[in-house]
Amino acid sequence: MSTIITRVQESVSRVDRTRALVMGILTGIAAFFALWKIFWLIFAAATFSSLGYWSPWLVLSLLWWGAIAALGVFWSIVFLLRYSKQP
């Protein structure tokens, strides 16, 4: 029985080492940008009283950017670990 982690590892091991570095850096940048957006969303909700903490716009935006950040961090770690290993 194969798990998801095994499938991810098999898929990433087929990627060239240089491409793994590029993908790791790009997904890391995407994760950083998503975390930056989350910071400013929380700042805007705290600063502007008209938005409130539980407006649907804020909740959906936090879920969206949180998912992008989580996936970006995951794929960045996976690709950079692939790059750090010997070919």
Side-chain angles (χ1 to χ4, degrees), residues 10-84:
E10 290 172 356
S11 297
V12 171
S13 66
R14 290 181 283 188
V15 175
D16 183 41
R17 196 165 180 251
T18 306
R19 287 189 183 178
L21 176 63
V22 171
M23 292 301 293
I25 291 171
L26 290 177
T27 54
I29 290 171
F32 176 76
F33 178 72
L35 291 171
W36 183 256
K37 292 285 286 188
I38 290 171
F39 168 76
W40 284 110
L41 281 170
I42 293 171
F43 178 78
T47 305
F48 303 122
S49 62
S50 64
L51 294 177
Y53 283 112
W54 297 109
S55 67
W57 170 81
L58 180 67
V59 172
L60 287 175
S61 296
L62 284 174
L63 287 174
W64 175 255
W65 289 109
I68 292 172
L71 287 172
V73 167
F74 172 76
W75 284 110
S76 180
I77 290 171
V78 168
F79 279 117
L80 291 176
L81 283 175
R82 162 62 181 110
Y83 175 76
S84 66

